[in-house]
């Protein structure tokens, strides 16, 4: 690495720590920053939650002048700007939601050189006035967020974005960084072209999101499954995606009856209603949102812990984007997809009138293959995006519960034979009912009970039949005649199975699986219980602080930071600095509040004789450093002897904590003890007793403790 790059890297790292509280870059971030800092254009493709923002925010901080960030959504701008400000970065946004005086205020601070990043909508950026305004500024870079909006191929084309091509012409020297999470190759290619970028470097990050668990279940009795899923995750925030507007509202009402609070969100609501629903969700006032796909773009909430698809999305891109809204903070999140053949039929009906029918059908097919998959689901997903995983992921239902193949020829033959005997005139449900020998009126009226295979599949449950028939569909034994009331037809391949005894392999996902999960629902260990309790206390504090400032709780601290606090139990600012995601600004603003939560928690637990590793030392540190008590006060409060408390504090001192040792011992005394230690024989341990004797019983134990700590601290510093 050249000297210049070395310096750049170290400066970038400093910024990362100071303003974002992280010790390390994620894959690709530094590479992108290096390019931008060399004033080169960049296209960055990274999945949601991958950490795109930092790739232009850090160059903006390192460069002189102001960075202009183009963003299509007002909500997104506000969120990002609030987040930046909360980290002590001077940022602002300009959009149609502001009045003239607000805008003037911002323009003034920009002119005064106070703002490092300004977020604008594309419409705004391209007005004459604004253009003339920014022409007078020193612009460090342009960042085009959600850059896929420029592509006609994309799913989110915005005509205003196409006008951005003039940027390169008007500001040929200024680097442009285009960012998107889109997976579509055509769209990706169009971005650089449409922005007229100059030999841009293209970065494509891995789309793997290992912290998201993947699970697919049959769409049967979905409601109860959803309730159970939610009840297992108390206090966690999640999204339930539904196909129709009506179903979002119905689900909210139903959940309410089960004692679960949620809000709905769909495009049929007016913008005020939508804003309110979104706000309740992002501020954690309501943990669950039932939404159509209208919800999501521009939602930066990092602590979404799960996503349920009540209905199957129509393609893998949408699916991946939607589940991608969970676990942005890198903490474990769960996703659950329900699928049923009914959803597939609904889509196919839509597609009938779509000009892009073929494309949509192909994409749906891939989605179905995923849902029906019997190999590691993450592999299937990533393969779709052109990535190949070396190993199975171990975090999907297939990996956790490998399905077993069996010879399903007989089962398939029963179904196919019944279909033929029913003259291919029935749909899936009727077929199953006939196979299971049910005596519905329709069956009797049509004389279906007289066919030979009536009741031939009694031993197989309705649900399992559904699975098998879906598998047969996917294997191409059967097809659905959409033009004939969705009746099932036997394909040529199916006929081979029926008449030529071609073998069929089926997979049995046992039905008991879901029930088993219930039984295994583990009891929390005492430690887990305490962690839960502390997590609740920390989130309460986070909520309280967020409400005071009128921002979303995750902008105070992410779940990842809270989890790390639970693990490390930070007490003083030295400790808090080590927690990832705590910028200098946040440390100043919130550190003390959280320290009090942790300190009081430890005090409570210790008074109840609970066992937490290191807690007693931490509590003493807390009382001394944070509560500012002296040793006598701590002794009283903790009902412990002086030597114990001094033992705790001197131990912290030895480990490098900022403790004023001169309050407890003089320099002369320290020297005395230090000399005594040096005079110990090689086989004599540096112990209280040995030193006490060496010092002729004239120096008390407490002082000797300090003396030893001081000696060791100096020795540690030397090494
Ligand atoms: P994207 O815009 O790609 O969806 P963000 O920029 O919002 O992603 O980042 C997602 C999350 O990852 C944020 O909570 C952010 O603070 C965090 N993050 C970004 N970079 C790092 C890093 N180097 N180390 C740890 N966390 C990071
Ligand atoms: Zn897997």
């Amino acid at each position: 690495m050249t000297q210049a790059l070395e310096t750049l890297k170290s400066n970038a790292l400093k910024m990362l720590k100071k303003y974002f509280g992280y010790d390390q870059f994620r894959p690709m971030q530094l590479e992108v920053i290096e390019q931008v800092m060399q004033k080169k254009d960049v296209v960055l493709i990274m999945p949601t939650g991958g950490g795109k923002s930092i790739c232009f925010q850090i160059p903006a901080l390192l460069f002189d002048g102001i960075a202009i960030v183009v963003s299509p959504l007002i909500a997104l701008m506000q969120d990002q700007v609030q987040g930046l400000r909360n980290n002590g970065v001077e940022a602002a946004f300009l959009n149609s939601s502001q009045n003239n005086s607000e805008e003037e205020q911002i323009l003034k601070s920009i002119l005064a050189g106070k703002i490092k990043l300004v977020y604008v909508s594309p419409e705004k950026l391209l007005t004459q006035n604004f253009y003339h305004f920014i022409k007078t500024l020193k612009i460090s870079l342009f960042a085009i967020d959600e850059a896929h909006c420029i592509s006609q191929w994309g799913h989110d084309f915005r005509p205003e974005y196409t006008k951005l091509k003039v940027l390169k012409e008007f500001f040929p020297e200024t680097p442009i960084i285009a960012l998107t999470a889109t997976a579509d190759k055509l769209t990706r290619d169009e971005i650089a072209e449409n922005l007229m970028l100059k030999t841009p470097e293209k970065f494509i990050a891995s789309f793997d999101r290992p912290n998201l668990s993947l699970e697919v279940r049959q769409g049967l009795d979905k409601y109860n499954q959803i309730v159970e899923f939610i009840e297992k995750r108390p206090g966690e925030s999640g999204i339930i995606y539904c196909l129709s507007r009506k179903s979002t509202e119905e689900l909210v009402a139903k959940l309410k009856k089960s004692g679960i609070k949620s809000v709905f969100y769909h495009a049929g609501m007016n913008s005020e209603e939508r804003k309110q629903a979104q706000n309740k969700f992002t501020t954690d006032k309501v943990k669950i949102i039932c939404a159509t796909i209208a919800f999501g773009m521009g939602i930066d909430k990092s602590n979404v812990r799960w996503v349920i698809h009540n209905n199957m999305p129509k393609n893998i891109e949408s699916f991946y984007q939607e589940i991608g809204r969970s676990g942005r903070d890198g903490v474990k999140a769960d996703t659950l997809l329900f699928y049923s053949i009914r959803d597939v039929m609904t889509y196919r009906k839509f597609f009938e009138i779509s000009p892009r029918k073929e494309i949509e059908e192909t994409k749906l097919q891939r989605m179905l293959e995923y849902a029906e998959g019997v190999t590691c689901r993450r592999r299937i997903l990533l393969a779709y995006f052109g990535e190949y995983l070396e190993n199975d992921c171990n975090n999907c239902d297939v990996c956790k519960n490998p399905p077993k193949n069996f010879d399903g020829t007989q089962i398939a033959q029963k179904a196919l034979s019944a279909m033929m005997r029913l003259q291919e005139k029935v749909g899936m449900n009727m077929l199953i009912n006939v196979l299971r020998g049910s005596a519905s009126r329709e069956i009797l009226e049509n004389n279906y009970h007289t066919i030979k295979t009536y009741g031939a599949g009694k031993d197989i449950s309705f649900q399992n039949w559904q699975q098998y028939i879906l598998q047969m569909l996917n294997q191409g034994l059967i097809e659905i005649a959409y033009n004939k009331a969705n009746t099932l037809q036997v394909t040529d391949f199916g006929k081979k199975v029926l008449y030529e005894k071609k073998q069929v392999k089926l997979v049995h996902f046992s039905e008991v699986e879901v029930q088993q999960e219930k039984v295994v629902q583990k009891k929390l260990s005492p430690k887990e219980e305490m962690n839960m309790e502390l997590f609740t206390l920390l989130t309460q504090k986070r909520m309280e602080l967020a409400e005071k400032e009128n921002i979303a709780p995750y902008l105070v601290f992410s779940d990842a930071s809270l989890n790390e606090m639970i693990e490390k139990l930070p007490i003083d600012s030295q400790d808090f600095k080590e927690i990832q995601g705590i910028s200098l600004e946040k440390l100043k603003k919130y550190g003390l509040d959280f320290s009090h939560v942790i300190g009081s928690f430890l005090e409570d637990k210790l008074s109840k004789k609970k066992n937490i590793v290191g807690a007693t030392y931490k509590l003493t540190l807390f009382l001394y450093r944070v509560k500012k008590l002296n040793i006598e006060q701590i002794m009283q409060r903790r009902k412990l002897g002086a030597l114990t408390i001094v033992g705790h504090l001197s131990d912290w001192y030895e480990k490098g904590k900022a403790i004023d040792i001169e309050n407890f011992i003089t320099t002369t005394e320290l020297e005395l003890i230090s000399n005594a230690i040096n005079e110990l024989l090689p086989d004599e341990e540096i112990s209280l007793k040995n030193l006490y004797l060496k010092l002729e019983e004239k120096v008390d134990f407490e002082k000797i403790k300090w003396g030893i700590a001081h000696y060791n601290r100096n020795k540690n510093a030397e090494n």
Side-chain angles (χ1 to χ4, degrees):
M1 213 186 280
T2 66
Q3 185 61 40
L5 270 185
E6 200 59 76
T7 319
L8 172 63
K9 185 178 169 190
S10 109
N11 288 342
L13 268 173
K14 274 186 211 143
M15 291 291 168
L16 182 69
K17 186 66 190 168
K18 179 172 174 197
Y19 288 110
F20 303 96
Y22 298 123
D23 286 333
Q24 273 171 348
F25 282 108
R26 290 216 184 126
M28 225 162 259
Q29 285 179 329
L30 187 62
E31 290 88 328
V32 173
I33 292 169
E34 279 170 6
Q35 288 293 314
V36 178
M37 291 309 294
Q38 292 170 55
K39 300 203 159 207
K40 291 194 186 132
D41 292 342
V42 167
V43 177
L44 172 60
I45 292 155
M46 203 182 238
T48 312
K52 287 186 282 300
S53 325
I54 274 174
C55 298
F56 61 84
Q57 288 166 346
I58 287 194
L61 287 164
L62 288 170
F63 271 132
D64 280 342
I66 184 167
I68 296 183
V69 186
V70 181
S71 174
L73 287 158
I74 291 178
L76 193 74
M77 287 184 200
Q78 280 172 343
D79 216 69
Q80 290 228 353
V81 168
Q82 272 176 345
L84 282 168
R85 287 213 186 127
N86 215 24
N87 277 328
V89 178
E90 295 299 337
F93 62 82
L94 287 167
N95 62 39
S96 54
S97 75
Q98 290 153 323
N99 61 34
N100 282 348
S101 80
E102 279 172 324
E103 177 168 333
E104 224 159 86
Q105 206 55 45
I106 294 164
L107 296 181
K108 244 191 226 158
S109 351
I110 293 178
L111 277 177
K114 283 196 193 132
I115 306 281
K116 291 306 290 177
L117 292 112
V118 63
Y119 285 69
V120 295
S121 59
E123 298 90 335
K124 174 90 205 162
L125 178 64
L126 298 164
T127 56
Q128 281 284 335
N129 279 347
F130 197 68
Y131 167 71
H132 289 298
F133 175 71
I134 60 173
K135 252 307 191 193
T136 66
L137 304 174
K138 181 165 183 165
I139 300 171
S140 56
L141 62 93
F142 289 102
I144 316 293
D145 208 1
E146 311 289 350
H148 58 275
C149 292
I150 202 168
S151 164
Q152 314 241 20
W153 288 107
H155 55 283
D156 200 25
F157 175 59
R158 293 179 182 233
E160 319 85 74
Y161 259 67
T162 52
K163 301 198 188 113
L164 294 173
K165 58 163 57 100
V166 297
L167 282 180
K168 197 80 254 176
E169 195 183 316
F170 292 164
F171 301 91
E173 301 304 320
T174 313
I176 295 181
I177 165 169
L179 311 105
T180 175
T182 200
D184 192 307
K185 194 168 172 310
L186 285 176
T187 311
R188 287 173 179 181
D189 291 341
E190 258 199 348
I191 292 172
E193 209 175 297
N194 289 2
L195 283 171
M196 320 266 272
L197 300 186
K198 275 193 285 195
T199 55
E201 190 86 29
K202 204 185 264 180
F203 292 91
I204 303 176
S206 166
F207 269 63
D208 192 9
R209 301 272 313 274
N211 62 319
L212 307 188
S213 78
L214 303 168
E215 183 178 0
V216 181
R217 290 190 202 162
Q218 284 281 310
L220 288 164
D221 193 16
K222 285 192 276 194
Y223 181 71
N224 284 325
Q225 294 198 54
I226 290 174
V227 170
E228 194 195 315
F229 183 96
I230 294 171
E231 282 174 348
K232 270 192 204 158
R233 293 165 177 78
E236 291 188 3
S237 186
I239 307 173
I240 306 177
Y241 278 109
C242 305
L243 204 52
S244 70
R245 297 172 182 185
K246 205 170 107 215
S247 58
T248 64
E249 298 190 12
E250 285 169 356
L251 188 53
V252 168
K254 224 168 153 189
L255 286 170
K256 190 173 169 197
K257 284 198 187 129
S258 306
I260 296 168
K261 213 168 133 192
S262 62
V263 286
F264 56 83
Y265 185 106
H266 56 67
M269 298 154 72
N270 67 36
S271 70
E272 188 50 35
E273 291 166 331
R274 266 185 290 165
K275 205 167 131 189
Q276 273 182 16
Q278 177 179 327
N279 201 265
K280 280 187 190 152
F281 180 67
T282 47
T283 57
D284 282 339
K285 301 226 166 66
V286 177
K287 302 277 186 185
I288 298 167
I289 194 160
C290 303
T292 62
I293 51 169
F295 178 77
M297 169 92 134
I299 309 301
D300 251 355
K301 182 176 163 63
S302 73
N303 62 330
V304 177
R305 295 267 68 85
W306 51 263
V307 170
I308 294 178
H309 278 93
N310 194 31
N311 302 95
M312 192 176 76
K314 62 179 176 182
N315 56 50
I316 289 183
E317 282 97 339
S318 313
F319 173 64
Y320 205 57
Q321 200 165 44
E322 284 150 19
I323 61 170
R325 293 184 180 128
S326 64
R328 276 174 170 239
D329 48 17
V331 178
K332 178 180 147 6
D334 293 322
T335 76
L336 171 59
L337 164 70
F338 287 111
Y339 87 113
S340 68
I341 203 69
R342 201 187 294 162
D343 295 341
V344 179
M345 292 187 198
T346 310
Y347 288 128
R348 288 197 169 134
K349 227 167 263 159
F350 289 157
F351 297 166
E352 279 304 319
I353 48 167
S354 162
R356 307 192 337 146
K357 183 176 169 212
E358 253 114 77
I359 299 181
E360 304 213 80
E361 177 55 39
T362 318
K363 290 195 167 189
L364 177 65
Q365 194 56 41
R366 299 291 299 268
M367 186 69 225
L368 246 183
E369 282 164 16
Y370 169 81
E372 266 291 289
V374 289
T375 53
C376 171
R377 295 204 200 272
R378 202 172 311 270
R379 287 190 150 180
I380 305 180
L381 273 183
L382 290 175
Y384 182 83
F385 298 125
E387 263 181 69
Y388 298 94
L389 265 191
E390 291 269 318
N391 297 308
D392 286 351
C393 78
N394 281 324
N395 195 19
C396 73
D397 56 337
V398 177
C399 282
K400 288 176 194 161
N401 224 329
K404 290 179 193 72
N405 262 320
F406 67 94
D407 181 355
T409 315
Q410 258 197 9
I411 291 179
Q413 283 172 341
K414 279 183 192 169
L416 294 167
S417 155
M419 283 165 61
M420 294 304 281
R421 287 174 200 275
L422 294 164
Q423 294 169 334
E424 304 180 303
K425 274 188 186 149
V426 303
M428 177 148 76
N429 286 355
M430 177 56 80
L431 173 66
I432 297 175
N433 284 333
V434 170
L435 282 163
R436 290 184 33 80
S438 56
S440 74
R441 197 158 120 213
E442 204 183 338
I443 289 182
L444 301 178
E445 272 174 11
N446 286 303
N447 274 329
Y448 291 161
H449 60 296
T450 59
I451 69 164
K452 202 178 151 207
T453 31
Y454 178 75
K458 243 197 277 214
D459 51 327
I460 295 171
S461 73
F462 192 93
Q463 299 180 21
N464 276 357
W465 265 122
Q466 250 190 341
Q467 285 187 5
Y468 296 147
I469 291 171
L470 277 174
Q471 291 174 35
M472 291 166 68
L473 262 169
N474 276 342
Q475 292 182 29
L477 308 179
I478 305 175
E479 60 193 12
I480 299 177
Y482 296 97
N483 52 354
K484 292 188 209 156
N486 296 327
T487 51
L488 298 177
Q489 314 288 311
V490 180
T491 62
D492 287 345
F493 186 46
K495 286 182 184 141
K496 283 196 181 142
V497 173
L498 192 54
Y499 304 122
E500 295 167 28
K501 302 213 161 40
K502 198 169 162 38
Q503 218 204 20
V504 176
K505 283 228 180 301
L506 290 177
V507 163
H508 184 66
F509 296 92
S510 61
E511 257 166 88
V512 280
E513 200 179 299
V514 181
Q515 286 143 28
Q516 258 173 10
E517 209 187 2
K518 260 187 232 163
V519 183
V520 195
Q521 206 186 89
K522 55 180 190 300
K523 227 176 122 354
L524 294 181
S525 70
K527 179 153 186 252
E528 284 168 326
E529 234 165 68
M530 277 195 285
N531 287 351
M532 275 280 259
E533 194 184 328
L534 182 54
F535 188 75
T536 309
L537 292 169
L538 293 171
T539 45
Q540 276 165 1
K541 178 55 75 183
R542 173 170 76 172
M543 181 69 127
E544 182 193 314
L545 293 168
E547 275 178 359
K548 236 189 258 169
E549 293 185 75
N550 203 12
I551 57 175
Y554 70 91
L555 290 179
V556 173
F557 284 140
S558 70
D559 278 13
S561 296
L562 297 192
N563 286 340
E564 208 181 325
M565 286 182 206
I566 289 169
E567 192 191 318
K568 297 191 175 150
L569 301 169
I571 298 292
D572 61 5
S573 55
Q574 274 171 301
D575 297 339
F576 275 97
K577 267 187 203 155
E578 277 172 31
I579 306 286
Q580 295 302 293
I582 304 192
S583 59
L584 209 56
E585 185 74 13
K586 286 188 184 179
L587 174 65
K588 282 192 234 153
K589 268 168 88 170
Y590 310 126
L592 202 56
D593 282 304
F594 281 83
S595 170
H596 276 284
V597 174
I598 294 168
S600 312
F601 172 81
L602 292 178
E603 189 161 25
D604 174 58
K605 290 299 156 228
L606 284 172
S607 74
K608 292 177 183 148
K609 305 263 179 291
K610 301 275 184 200
N611 187 19
I612 303 174
V613 179
T616 184
Y617 281 73
K618 288 198 179 254
L619 180 57
T620 300
L621 183 72
F622 171 72
L623 295 173
Y624 182 76
R625 289 269 286 151
V626 184
K627 286 266 189 191
K628 310 276 187 225
L629 303 187
N630 63 33
I631 293 196
E632 281 74 47
Q633 290 166 322
I634 300 175
M635 283 162 59
Q636 270 178 11
R637 182 149 170 170
R638 298 206 54 193
K639 302 196 177 59
L640 292 173
L643 198 56
T644 310
I645 302 299
V646 169
H648 294 166
L649 285 182
S650 60
D651 198 65
W652 283 122
Y653 178 77
E654 181 175 328
K655 290 197 176 110
K657 285 282 182 208
I659 285 172
D660 313 320
I661 192 168
E662 54 275 22
N663 289 344
F664 308 106
I665 186 167
T666 65
T667 336
T668 330
E669 288 166 324
L670 282 174
E671 243 165 65
L672 197 70
I673 299 168
S674 188
N675 291 339
I677 294 175
N678 285 328
E679 283 166 21
L680 287 175
L681 298 173
D683 63 340
E684 277 180 318
E685 211 192 331
I686 308 181
S687 68
L688 276 184
K689 196 175 133 234
N690 284 343
L691 287 168
Y692 186 64
L693 295 176
K694 187 118 217 145
L695 293 159
E696 297 164 346
E697 307 186 9
K698 280 187 202 133
V699 182
D700 63 31
F701 276 12
E702 280 119 54
K703 295 230 158 128
I704 298 177
K705 270 210 180 242
W706 284 115
I708 297 176
H710 189 67
Y711 175 86
N712 285 337
R713 175 159 156 154
N714 284 344
K715 227 168 79 183
N716 290 343
E718 277 166 29
N719 296 336

